[in-house]
Amino acid sequence: MNHLRNFCIIAHIDHGKSTLADRLLERTGAITERQMQDQVLDDMDLERERGITIKSHAVKMDYISSDKTKYIYNLIDTPGHVDFSYEVSRALKACEGAILVVDASQGVEAQTISNLYQAIEQNLEIIPVLNKIDLPGAEPEEVAHQIMDLIGCNREDILSVSGKTGMGVDELLEAIALRIPPPKGDPEAPLQALIFDSVFNPYRGSIVYVRVMQGTLHAGEKIRFMVARKEHEADEIGYLRIKPQPSKKLSAGEVGYIIGNVKSLQDTKVGDTVTSVNNPAFSPIPGFKDVKPMVFSGIYPTDTEDFESLRSALEKLQLNDASLQFVPETSVALGFGFRAGFLGMLHMEIIQERLEREFDMSIITTVPNVEYQVHGRGKEFLVDNPSDMPDAGDIDQVLEPYIKAQFIAPVEYIGTIMKLCQDRRGVYVNTIYIDTKRVDITYELPLAEVVFDFYDRLKSLTRGYASLDYEFIGLRPGNMVRLDILLNGDEVDALSSIVHRDKAYEWGKKLCAKLKELIPRQMYEVVVQAAIGNKVIARDSVRALRKDVLAKCYGGDVSRKRKLLEKQKEGKKRMKQVGSVEIPQEAFLAVLSMNND
């Protein structure tokens, strides 16, 4: 155990941790030159295209130090995006040390700080690293001072590396052996192993990635998942090299995988504890929590006949992603579909893209919503779909989720960020100056205002310089109402949304104007209205197409023309009674891009 080192790499998105991981694998000989490609650990096409890590990965390496001691390194690569912060917290629990990677040209960013605080809470040894020092825009000394202020280290503790060229990687490997403590644990104690990730294999079922905290796990042993309360047999166990390497046992301090005919990812929850049936542990490892979706949206097939294909596609995605949840729902406008829950907007985009790409599904998604807690008539219930929201008279109170958002940006954008947050009903908390050029601003915001297009607005208003990190802080009362859209008096449930009463009028007006442009003209007038309960708050109308019935009347008496126009008017009235308005796909997408105008 003294020669074992378990560590992870934490960084903001795009600060180069996957590239640095490539260099570590290369230098330790974990992969051959033939296997080498950029971002070896990112194996999903989407991860490579977007340049982000979506799933955590782990890999084992052998390292011989300068004094010829042989060490075993377990690297656990973590996702950097805020939607996946629970995965990060479990991965950190499996380590004794963390490499903090900061881009020498961009400096410390919001998610660097939040992941760093999580690592410090877990008492991990931090090795600060300045990456991308070979870039022409790098400012190593300035960024080094930011890191020193952040974690209170000395300048000589900060290593300078380049993940691209491999400069300084040998010093980093040496520092891991010297600075990160070996794992603790008793191989003879009852088995306690922490699940920090699980992946689904269509042939072997759920493969669980574990870090053994106490005890020893043997191949073929009967095991129990303590939170899921399921028992299985550990058919195959082993180490996580680039390709899995089976072994007879895993003992305290080691990281590896377990395959045990587990049919679904729902049974192998991240954060659960694996113990032995014959010699069980008294209690699970603390800190487990069920991942709760924060953003909800309806997913409907464009062609209603594809409903079953959509169901099987979502079920297959759920095998790989336990945090995706969905239930069937119906909509008058869109037919049969599903209400799905996601961790955040990035998670939602990834699921949509995978449905379109991997399963060739053509889908319509409705406006994303958050989950509200509604109190009324002595009951309390959760509402994640606008059409389930009761009438205003039946509601005593609505509680909406709030988040604490932390922005890091250049000083000149303070006013821009504050205005954006004030417009989104934000509550100011504080401002801290990191140095003369950068500032850290904290706000409390309703999650409903953030899930929509907040991130895109922030990036465009600050030219991409601001970074955002947020955490959920609880429910607070909000004056929320359901805004319905009516076409010729008929409600279109798929266009309903839950908005704050103060913003309802402006939102309704904008939405009617937008739909007026997008709904194709009919032979009769189409009235577009926005209403709260029975009260119409905005109205627009799509003018009717007119056939020129006077074409054959040249000259003659005006009463003849009037008679023809009256007849046409009667016909249009009758049409309006039987006509139904077709709403194009663009109308649903328009609601998503409302705030950009």
Side-chain angles (χ1 to χ4, degrees):
M1 267 169 83
N2 285 337
H3 294 161
L4 263 178
R5 296 289 182 271
N6 298 326
F7 64 96
C8 61
I9 303 179
I10 53 178
H12 188 77
I13 309 163
D14 225 12
H15 277 208
K17 62 176 183 289
S18 295
T19 312
L20 186 60
D22 291 349
R23 295 293 86 75
L24 296 175
L25 293 170
E26 211 172 53
R27 290 291 160 92
T28 54
I31 48 174
T32 60
E33 268 185 43
R34 211 181 83 196
Q35 290 171 312
M36 189 63 221
Q37 56 171 344
D38 287 346
Q39 286 88 36
V40 174
L41 297 177
D42 292 348
D43 46 16
M44 235 189 272
D45 288 343
L46 259 176
E47 288 185 312
R48 297 182 161 281
E49 274 176 33
R50 286 175 173 238
I52 54 172
T53 302
I54 295 167
K55 288 289 284 177
S56 306
H57 295 271
V59 67
K60 182 179 175 183
M61 303 175 270
D62 300 319
Y63 174 65
I64 296 166
S65 68
S66 51
D67 59 359
K68 298 288 179 277
T69 315
K70 192 177 176 196
Y71 289 95
I72 289 171
Y73 288 175
N74 285 311
L75 160 64
I76 293 162
D77 191 18
T78 58
H81 201 280
V82 59
D83 286 2
F84 306 108
S85 57
Y86 177 64
E87 280 200 11
V88 175
S89 76
R90 295 296 84 197
L92 293 176
K93 184 93 177 148
C95 306
E96 276 75 40
I99 298 174
L100 172 70
V101 178
V102 180
D103 183 327
S105 60
Q106 292 184 343
V108 173
E109 305 251 14
Q111 280 159 2
T112 320
I113 296 179
S114 76
N115 287 349
L116 173 70
Y117 286 162
Q118 279 192 340
I120 291 170
E121 271 170 34
Q122 307 271 13
N123 293 325
L124 301 193
E125 181 62 43
I126 309 287
I127 300 179
V129 167
L130 274 178
N131 193 18
K132 306 192 186 182
I133 53 162
D134 55 328
L135 284 183
E139 297 174 338
E141 289 314 309
E142 202 170 299
V143 178
H145 280 291
Q146 290 177 13
I147 297 174
M148 284 151 68
D149 291 343
L150 193 62
I151 57 176
C153 62
N154 299 323
R155 176 65 184 93
E156 54 270 18
D157 296 338
I158 302 172
L159 302 174
S160 296
V161 303
S162 164
K164 201 171 179 184
T165 61
M167 183 180 133
V169 172
D170 293 328
E171 289 80 0
L172 175 59
L173 285 164
E174 199 67 29
I176 294 169
L178 298 173
R179 293 200 215 169
I180 294 177
K184 296 183 176 69
D186 177 7
E188 304 304 317
L191 176 68
Q192 262 188 330
L194 171 78
I195 299 179
F196 63 85
D197 197 10
S198 54
V199 294
F200 188 78
N201 180 308
Y203 305 107
R204 313 286 311 257
S206 190
I207 301 173
V208 189
Y209 291 175
V210 293
R211 151 76 201 269
V212 183
M213 297 296 191
Q214 300 281 357
T216 306
L217 171 67
H218 298 275
E221 196 172 353
K222 269 192 100 64
I223 53 169
R224 177 184 297 135
F225 298 122
M226 294 181 87
V227 175
R229 299 190 175 167
K230 297 280 173 74
E231 291 187 7
H232 292 279
E233 198 170 298
D235 289 345
E236 183 185 309
I237 62 174
Y239 300 114
L240 293 155
R241 300 241 177 222
I242 286 291
K243 294 222 165 70
Q245 178 194 356
S247 123
K248 290 272 185 286
K249 65 173 186 173
L250 288 173
S251 54
E254 292 188 318
V255 173
Y257 68 90
I258 305 172
I259 300 176
N261 293 333
V262 188
K263 290 192 174 59
S264 90
L265 275 194
Q266 308 302 331
D267 296 344
T268 58
K269 294 188 164 83
V270 170
D272 199 349
T273 306
V274 179
T275 190
S276 162
V277 171
N278 299 332
N279 183 13
F282 290 111
S283 62
I285 297 160
F288 172 79
K289 62 174 191 231
D290 255 328
V291 181
K292 281 176 75 174
M294 301 298 269
V295 177
F296 297 83
S297 169
I299 298 181
Y300 293 87
T302 355
D303 183 352
T304 43
E305 289 173 5
D306 293 340
F307 175 71
E308 283 304 324
S309 322
L310 180 60
R311 184 200 293 273
S312 75
L314 282 167
E315 280 168 356
K316 283 176 186 157
L317 282 183
Q318 199 176 35
L319 291 174
N320 272 306
D321 184 350
S323 48
L324 168 68
Q325 298 180 7
F326 62 92
V327 288
E329 72 165 4
T330 54
S331 149
V332 180
L334 298 172
F336 292 103
F338 295 92
R339 189 96 196 142
F342 310 95
L343 297 176
M345 288 302 279
L346 177 83
H347 187 210
M348 178 174 148
E349 275 178 44
I350 286 164
I351 296 293
Q352 283 175 19
E353 208 158 313
R354 288 183 69 186
L355 281 172
E356 286 168 7
R357 209 183 263 201
E358 295 172 26
F359 301 97
D360 276 341
M361 296 299 305
S362 169
I363 55 173
I364 297 175
T365 51
T366 60
V367 185
N369 276 96
V370 299
E371 194 169 56
Y372 297 95
Q373 195 174 9
V374 180
H375 296 255
R377 297 203 167 172
K379 286 189 209 156
E380 95 174 35
F381 45 94
L382 297 171
V383 171
D384 59 35
N385 188 345
S387 52
D388 296 342
M389 190 84 160
D391 294 328
D394 298 339
I395 298 174
D396 298 331
Q397 189 187 37
V398 178
L399 297 175
E400 58 172 336
Y402 262 72
I403 58 161
K404 186 173 173 187
Q406 181 187 24
F407 305 91
I408 290 186
V411 176
E412 60 263 32
Y413 295 115
I414 294 179
T416 315
I417 291 172
M418 285 182 149
K419 184 177 182 315
L420 177 66
C421 293
Q422 301 302 70
D423 291 348
R424 301 297 179 102
R425 301 190 283 126
V427 180
Y428 173 74
V429 180
N430 67 359
T431 303
I432 299 164
Y433 283 84
I434 299 171
D435 55 29
T436 52
K437 291 184 186 170
R438 290 155 66 83
V439 68
D440 175 351
I441 306 171
T442 309
Y443 261 89
E444 288 175 356
L445 290 152
L447 181 64
E449 299 282 350
V450 177
V451 297
F452 212 48
D453 60 344
F454 186 83
Y455 193 65
D456 298 344
R457 297 284 297 152
L458 177 72
K459 285 294 182 198
S460 63
L461 290 171
T462 61
R463 297 196 191 148
Y465 282 114
S467 60
L468 161 70
D469 184 70
Y470 61 81
E471 60 174 326
F472 178 63
I473 52 171
L475 297 166
R476 292 183 187 176
N479 189 0
M480 311 306 289
V481 291
R482 186 177 87 203
L483 181 69
D484 292 322
I485 296 294
L486 313 172
L487 291 183
N488 282 349
D490 295 333
E491 193 182 305
V492 183
D493 54 354
L495 289 173
S496 297
S497 53
I498 298 172
V499 292
H500 195 267
R501 192 180 285 276
D502 297 351
K503 290 190 166 189
Y505 171 69
E506 180 199 345
W507 186 255
K509 205 171 159 192
K510 270 190 186 175
L511 202 47
C512 287
K514 191 92 178 182
L515 290 170
K516 179 187 172 182
E517 296 165 23
L518 290 165
I519 290 173
R521 287 172 70 185
Q522 312 288 332
M523 293 303 288
Y524 49 88
E525 185 187 46
V526 178
V527 177
V528 184
Q529 291 168 309
I532 297 173
N534 297 328
K535 185 181 172 191
V536 173
I537 58 168
R539 178 191 196 275
D540 246 314
S541 51
V542 182
R543 283 179 43 227
L545 286 168
R546 265 186 70 179
K547 182 182 173 191
D548 190 358
V549 289
L550 306 180
K552 59 180 182 286
C553 296
Y554 36 90
D557 187 11
V558 72
S559 59
R560 188 167 161 229
K561 293 182 181 176
R562 203 164 281 149
K563 192 176 165 190
L564 284 168
L565 288 171
E566 285 299 320
K567 195 176 172 190
Q568 183 186 35
K569 206 169 170 186
E570 284 301 312
K572 284 192 184 298
K573 234 184 210 169
R574 233 187 1 264
M575 251 181 173
K576 196 171 182 176
Q577 287 167 1
V578 293
S580 67
V581 185
E582 180 139 329
I583 308 168
Q585 161 80 21
E586 290 79 51
F588 298 102
L589 300 177
V591 187
L592 294 171
S593 62
M594 280 276 291
N595 280 19
N596 297 349
D597 303 346

